[in-house]
Amino acid sequence: SLHDALPISGKCLMYISILPVIIKALIEFRYISEEGYFANTTGMFIEYPFWLSGAFTLFVAGYLIFLASNPNKKSYIIFSALFFGVFLLSALKGQRSQIISLLIFLFYWFCNKYNYRICWQQITLIGVFAISTTCYLGIIRESYGKYPPVTTEKNEGLLIKNLYEQTTSRAVPLLIIQGDLQHRQYPFIFAPLLRPVNNILYPHLGQDIAYLEKFNDISAVTMYNVSENAYLTGRGYGSAFLAEAYDLGGYLGVAVLSFLLGLFLAFCDYSRLQVKNIYIPILFYGIMTVIILPRGRYLGFMSDINKIIFTYMVLMLIIIMNLKNQNKILSPALTPRKQEMI
């Protein structure tokens, strides 16, 4: 049955791809540690072995298909821990927001899906772990490569310094309101829609003037308008949902997009995430996008469109094969009745 096929298929995809994913993450970590954290944005030119191609997409698809099977609590904890562990290894490149948003998602899904009531002590523990992780990743990424560490001109200690660095995106709405930004091609909110196509047309394009003109990236454009030198060395302000909304339609844009966001949140809360299997993968990306919205893009899930499409292709293949198997099982049972009718 489909109830059995989904978890088995999802687990198999995770088992098959986990070793290539780990190897690929270690290759990227070695490259970043040698070239510096900002090689993430100035362009990573890594030649991977061919058998590592698509490993991460396969691994994520496996987990989402497993998630779509509505696993029991024990299975969810085990495979979510495995999924988080692989993401944590990948986060050694210095990208902190992704791992923290995933941590929040996993607990949010667990509490809603399994009606688990989380206590304040657990929330505190999660918060301490999240802050400690971001601090640690911040320390190690500043030791990478030939680039000097990003200074904040603050000396209040590691925790304050880390929190200060997480607030740089507050400059983005201010710059959008100020207006008259060079290299803004069209409303920033639509840039993620074109990014998958641009990634194909302009692969390995780092932060240079051509990137500004082709990608219309809000983080890159705002950083360039403040400091061209900082932009060219890979730095950026990040994004901000409010900035995109205001850029699209002023205060009306903020009101309309906030209303749509509220509808999505209300749906998640009202449904308690009890939705059909086929909607779970897209729900995963939707919630992950919402979690990071204060520093993210409204349509940020479009950066993972290749993983979304692949996941649904595999999901449809599993459903079709399951229906064919069911028809084969039912056919012999129908044969005697057909003979009686004759």
Side-chain angles (χ1 to χ4, degrees):
S1 67
L2 188 61
H3 179 73
D4 297 321
L6 287 177
I8 294 174
S9 301
K11 292 175 184 178
C12 285
L13 290 178
M14 292 180 72
Y15 291 146
I16 291 170
S17 58
I18 187 169
L19 183 59
V21 166
I22 292 174
I23 294 174
K24 188 173 183 179
L26 292 175
I27 292 174
E28 292 178 347
F29 170 70
R30 181 180 178 181
Y31 179 86
I32 294 297
S33 63
E34 293 175 353
E35 297 296 323
Y37 167 70
F38 291 109
N40 281 304
T41 49
T42 55
M44 287 199 301
F45 303 96
I46 307 175
E47 292 186 4
Y48 300 101
F50 75 93
W51 51 276
L52 295 181
S53 301
F56 196 73
T57 299
L58 195 66
F59 183 74
V60 174
Y63 177 74
L64 294 183
I65 290 170
F66 163 76
L67 203 63
S69 69
N70 291 313
N72 60 50
K73 186 186 297 185
K74 182 179 179 181
S75 294
Y76 174 82
I77 293 174
I78 293 173
F79 284 91
S80 294
L82 177 63
F83 189 66
F84 181 79
V86 171
F87 262 75
L88 187 59
L89 178 63
S90 181
L92 288 176
K93 292 183 296 182
Q95 296 169 318
R96 299 174 289 188
S97 60
Q98 189 178 47
I99 192 67
I100 299 304
S101 59
L102 177 60
L103 178 67
I104 295 172
F105 168 84
L106 293 176
F107 275 95
Y108 174 77
W109 190 274
F110 180 77
C111 292
N112 280 273
K113 199 75 171 179
Y114 302 100
N115 295 317
Y116 181 80
R117 189 177 181 85
I118 192 168
C119 64
W120 282 107
Q121 292 88 341
Q122 292 170 319
I123 293 175
T124 303
L125 183 63
I126 294 169
V128 170
F129 175 80
I131 294 174
S132 301
T133 301
T134 57
C135 288
Y136 176 71
L137 291 175
I139 292 172
I140 62 173
R141 84 178 190 182
E142 288 187 354
S143 66
Y144 293 162
K146 55 192 175 184
Y147 295 109
V150 179
T151 59
T152 60
E153 299 181 358
K154 296 287 178 180
N155 300 308
E156 288 85 347
L158 180 61
L159 178 60
I160 299 300
K161 179 177 182 291
N162 178 72
L163 295 175
Y164 180 84
E165 290 176 349
Q166 300 307 307
T167 63
T168 55
S169 293
R170 72 189 186 281
V172 179
L174 300 177
L175 290 166
I176 295 298
I177 293 172
Q178 178 181 309
D180 194 26
L181 296 174
Q182 294 183 55
H183 299 292
R184 176 189 178 278
Q185 310 296 329
Y186 48 85
F188 290 117
I189 195 170
F190 299 122
L193 296 175
L194 299 177
R195 192 175 186 89
V197 177
N198 286 330
N199 285 334
I200 297 173
L201 297 177
Y202 314 106
H204 306 298
L205 201 59
Q207 284 195 186
D208 53 17
I209 302 302
Y211 178 82
L212 286 173
E213 296 174 346
K214 303 298 182 183
F215 283 78
N216 193 50
D217 184 83
I218 187 172
S219 175
V221 171
T222 50
M223 186 75 259
Y224 177 84
N225 279 266
V226 172
S227 172
E228 180 179 355
N229 181 62
Y231 164 74
L232 293 175
T233 56
R235 290 166 172 80
Y237 276 128
S239 183
F241 153 65
L242 291 177
E244 286 186 328
Y246 186 87
D247 176 63
L248 177 65
Y251 292 114
L252 179 61
V254 173
V256 172
L257 293 183
S258 297
F259 175 74
L260 295 176
L261 176 62
L263 289 179
F264 176 75
L265 294 174
F267 167 77
C268 292
D269 186 61
Y270 177 77
S271 67
R272 304 290 293 181
L273 305 178
Q274 303 299 325
V275 297
K276 292 183 179 180
N277 308 68
I278 199 168
Y279 298 134
I280 287 179
I282 195 66
L283 194 58
F284 167 82
Y285 285 103
I287 296 174
M288 286 285 286
T289 298
V290 170
I291 292 172
I292 202 64
L293 269 187
R295 295 194 64 191
R297 295 161 177 80
Y298 196 76
L299 301 176
F301 64 89
M302 287 299 299
S303 62
D304 292 306
I305 192 63
N306 61 324
K307 296 185 183 68
I308 296 174
I309 293 174
F310 180 78
T311 299
Y312 275 101
M313 288 175 61
V314 175
L315 193 57
M316 290 297 101
L317 181 63
I318 294 171
I319 293 173
I320 291 171
M321 292 179 64
N322 183 72
L323 289 174
K324 285 184 177 180
N325 289 334
Q326 285 185 339
N327 290 335
K328 287 181 181 180
I329 294 173
L330 291 174
S331 293
L334 292 176
T335 302
R337 184 166 183 172
K338 288 182 178 179
Q339 291 177 346
E340 290 177 8
M341 291 176 67
I342 294 173

